[in-house]
Amino acid sequence: MRLTRRANMTKVRAYFSLFRIKTAEGIQYRLAGLASASVGVFWALIEIVVFTVFYNYAANKDAGTLAGLTLKQVISYVWLSQAIWTMQPMSIDAEILKKINSGDVGLELCRPMDLYAHWFAGTAASRLIPVFWRGTVTLLCAILMPVPYRLGLPASAIGFCWSLLSFFCAFLLCTAFGTFVATVRLNVNWGDGPMYMMMLIGGVLSGGYLPLQLWPAALQTILLLQPFAGYLDIPIRLYLGTMQPNDAGSLILLQLIWIALFVAAGKALMAKRLKTIIVQGG
Amino acid sequence: MSSVRLYLKYLHLHLLTGLQYKGWPLMVLQVLIVVITDPIGIILLFYRFGSIGEWSVERILLIYAMAVTSFGLAETFCRGFDYFPWRTIRTGDFDRLLLRPCSLFVQVAGSYFHIHRISRVFAGLGAIIWCLWRLEVELTMLHICTIGLALIGGCLVYAGVFVLTSGLAFFTIQSLDWIFIFTNASYQVTRCPIDYMPQVLRRFFTFVMPMLVISYMPAAAVCGWTKTYWLGLAALPAGLLFLLFATLIWRIGVRHYQSTGS
């Protein structure tokens, strides 16, 4: 019993060091990170201009506030979502994709490691790397902006703590979904099409295009319950205080349920695929 | 003339190669979904907030669609330059192109071609026609010519951006991601009504990178939002000028080229 526990610990440590090595390697590309941050800041500024115009000059200019988001909150929303936008899986990990396409998956199966956990660690690193520089630089710019464009303070200290926890869950959710899509991609014949479509649906429904609260009122419940609200919308709502800290527990539980579902689906699909896997190359 | 024939031959070959992959209709569908979902944010905003003065959702979408269609055209026909920094130069494939006694420009432009990129053009054209119909614009010959010229000009502008990126890639192979501001992020600017757009953005996208010249001005001319119709015809010369400038940078880059890869 003790022995198996120890063996398990060593395994977990192995996956964690895989994650650590890859992250450390990735964040060395400082300039690439800064270039990406410049796009994030530019994009955020345009979004802020558009929202400001709507909140000040539109025919129903109070519609946003009535939906529960003031202009100040929307501006904070834009900054936060731009900071962590690249955490969302927009394609699967390049290394994994290469292995699938070249047939090196066969080689991977020879390792005395669980392939799913291995890929999960790799995907986690590739979700964290793009956020590292882009996120910090974008947030720094957001704090240093002149007042009307600045990132607002969190609504409350407790809300902020909950939102930090929720941001971490968002990271896990992005990783779980990214790994799930990688297992779908194991079917080489389908090509990249289905993979990108799945990712895109996630991106649209995450609130990155438009805060979910500003979507049509009739859809609000569904929008909150669907898995991708957990990417951005739930953590940011907790930060802004548009969701009370009392509800934080159930919202984070929702994120955790989706994480568990995606992990289970990924594992099941991988087990099924590996039985009939086509190894390419020679 | 022989360059044009060579270019068309390249496209033909790439088209045939692309069709070998059974999944190509899926890729077309995928790009189509990308293009359709992209303006979803602004459409939902208009749905909730209503128009901004004279600016209705059709007006904004028309300007947006003009820019997107131009971008799609450039992406379809100049894909080689779009990929150049990431694929051709890093792998050292450029050396081989230099050895051939043909136009470099044509060789690079024709080095990639993806059939599914054209779905952006079709979606954009569809949006333009829908907006013009909703805005009840009478389609005279002159208007059609203005829009056609604007799209050609726009294609040249975005091709210019790709050429410019490729030229810069000779000096810095990595960290060219900021060029995204001139490509996919540039047409996001059109979501903001021109009257309310900050002066800095407006000047930048008129005089530095003439994105508004190829989208807003022709749209304004055709729909009669301004009195000066001739400004709508400025798209083609602006596109040519921008492409010329980009070609200059590209030439300087080529002269500085030291091989990479092995």
Side-chain angles (χ1 to χ4, degrees):
Chain A
M1 183 68 195
R2 239 176 99 194
L3 265 177
T4 50
R5 194 185 296 159
R6 194 188 255 167
N8 275 337
M9 276 313 288
T10 348
K11 262 191 183 167
V12 169
R13 212 176 291 153
Y15 298 128
F16 187 72
S17 45
L18 266 173
F19 165 71
R20 217 187 46 207
I21 292 166
K22 210 175 158 194
T23 312
E25 190 196 332
I27 61 178
Q28 282 175 15
Y29 296 98
R30 251 164 297 169
L31 270 178
L34 288 181
S36 154
S38 68
V39 177
V41 172
F42 176 79
W43 198 286
L45 287 175
I46 290 181
E47 294 254 300
I48 290 172
V49 168
V50 172
F51 280 122
T52 312
V53 169
F54 272 98
Y55 270 83
N56 286 327
Y57 304 106
N60 322 312
K61 57 183 173 185
D62 299 326
T65 320
L66 288 177
L69 270 181
T70 63
L71 180 58
K72 240 187 119 190
Q73 285 172 325
V74 170
I75 289 171
S76 302
Y77 193 111
V78 169
W79 281 118
L80 290 173
S81 73
Q82 278 306 317
I84 60 165
W85 172 251
T86 42
M87 191 163 82
Q88 288 184 24
M90 277 301 155
S91 66
I92 63 173
D93 182 46
E95 215 173 299
I96 296 177
L97 187 61
K98 208 171 140 195
K99 277 173 187 160
I100 294 173
N101 282 337
S102 68
D104 281 349
V105 179
L107 205 68
E108 294 269 274
L109 290 172
C110 303
R111 291 183 218 274
M113 292 175 106
D114 177 33
L115 188 61
Y116 183 84
H118 187 167
W119 280 12
F120 192 87
T123 308
S126 67
R127 290 302 95 229
L128 191 63
I129 295 162
V131 183
F132 190 84
W133 288 108
R134 181 180 166 128
T136 40
V137 174
T138 308
L139 283 184
L140 202 69
C141 286
I143 295 166
L144 296 176
M145 281 285 150
V147 175
Y149 295 120
R150 194 181 293 169
L151 169 70
L153 289 172
S156 65
I158 310 169
F160 182 62
C161 294
W162 279 114
S163 79
L164 281 183
L165 186 64
S166 181
F167 275 120
F168 180 70
C169 289
F171 164 66
L172 289 182
L173 182 63
C174 290
T175 310
F177 187 66
T179 320
F180 170 62
V181 178
T183 58
V184 173
R185 185 62 180 76
L186 260 178
N187 189 334
V188 194
N189 297 340
W190 287 354
D192 289 336
M195 169 178 107
Y196 283 124
M197 274 190 254
M198 289 170 76
M199 306 272 188
L200 185 75
I201 291 167
V204 173
L205 291 176
S206 71
Y209 284 55
L210 182 74
L212 293 183
Q213 272 167 290
L214 296 181
W215 285 54
L219 301 173
Q220 286 302 322
T221 323
I222 305 169
L223 283 173
L224 193 62
L225 290 178
Q226 49 91 16
F228 307 109
Y231 275 7
L232 294 172
D233 207 66
I234 289 176
I236 296 179
R237 278 194 210 202
L238 289 170
Y239 179 95
L240 297 176
T242 54
M243 278 287 175
Q244 294 311 312
N246 300 340
D247 299 328
S250 43
L251 286 174
I252 288 173
L253 185 69
L254 184 68
Q255 281 179 307
L256 289 173
I257 290 172
W258 281 116
I259 295 169
L261 279 178
F262 282 134
V263 169
K267 280 194 150 179
L269 193 63
M270 183 178 259
K272 200 179 152 205
R273 284 269 179 275
L274 286 183
K275 269 185 205 146
T276 56
I277 190 155
I278 303 165
V279 175
Q280 301 216 19
Chain B
M1 202 55 223
S2 67
S3 321
V4 175
R5 213 175 306 137
L6 180 69
Y7 175 73
L8 289 179
K9 188 157 191 187
Y10 269 130
L11 291 197
H12 184 68
L13 278 177
H14 284 302
L15 181 66
L16 290 184
T17 335
L19 293 181
Q20 289 293 312
Y21 289 92
K22 300 269 153 38
W24 72 266
L26 261 182
M27 293 297 277
V28 172
L29 189 71
Q30 177 228 325
V31 178
L32 205 64
I33 293 177
V34 171
V35 180
I36 292 171
T37 52
D38 195 50
I40 202 169
I42 195 77
I43 293 172
L44 288 174
L45 263 182
F46 271 105
Y47 176 75
R48 192 174 270 277
F49 284 83
S51 305
I52 305 169
E54 294 190 317
W55 292 89
S56 58
V57 68
E58 290 91 357
R59 277 193 175 196
I60 295 284
L61 265 186
L62 176 62
I63 302 174
Y64 173 86
M66 293 286 293
V68 169
T69 315
S70 309
F71 179 68
L73 281 171
E75 215 185 21
T76 312
F77 295 112
C78 263
R79 189 74 174 152
F81 276 106
D82 188 16
Y83 269 10
F84 182 78
W86 285 271
R87 299 272 173 91
T88 316
I89 204 169
R90 238 180 242 182
T91 52
D93 277 350
F94 188 55
D95 294 11
R96 286 193 305 171
L97 302 190
L98 282 171
L99 287 174
R100 295 179 193 148
C102 300
S103 156
L104 259 187
F105 207 82
V106 165
Q107 287 193 62
V108 176
S111 56
Y112 288 96
F113 174 78
H114 290 141
I115 178 78
H116 53 267
R117 292 287 150 184
I118 207 137
S119 42
R120 185 168 262 141
V121 179
F122 284 124
L125 279 178
I128 292 176
I129 292 168
W130 183 79
C131 290
L132 287 176
W133 173 66
R134 286 297 299 253
L135 289 166
E136 292 169 359
V137 177
E138 216 181 311
L139 275 183
T140 57
M141 239 7 236
L142 178 67
H143 289 344
I144 292 173
C145 285
T146 309
I147 290 176
L149 287 178
L151 292 181
I152 297 171
C155 175
L156 294 180
V157 169
Y158 279 109
V161 173
F162 295 147
V163 173
L164 187 72
T165 323
S166 307
L168 291 175
F170 287 110
F171 303 101
T172 155
I173 298 177
Q174 252 177 19
S175 66
L176 273 167
D177 289 346
W178 55 267
I179 209 75
F180 206 58
I181 292 176
F182 293 97
T183 57
N184 296 54
S186 72
Y187 54 75
Q188 300 299 331
V189 177
T190 60
R191 292 186 303 166
C192 182
I194 306 292
D195 304 336
Y196 301 95
M197 198 183 280
Q199 282 293 324
V200 192
L201 272 182
R202 211 172 147 175
R203 292 212 179 111
F204 181 82
F205 281 107
T206 308
F207 297 113
V208 183
M209 192 230 158
M211 196 272 301
L212 292 174
V213 181
I214 57 109
S215 55
Y216 165 66
M217 287 180 182
V222 169
C223 300
W225 303 333
T226 53
K227 291 198 179 78
T228 44
Y229 195 92
W230 62 269
L231 269 179
L233 300 169
L236 190 59
L240 276 173
L241 259 175
F242 190 74
L243 185 61
L244 212 68
F245 165 72
T247 319
L248 208 73
I249 304 279
W250 159 258
R251 290 244 163 124
I252 297 172
V254 173
R255 219 170 296 150
H256 273 79
Y257 178 65
Q258 292 158 330
S259 182
T260 53
S262 54

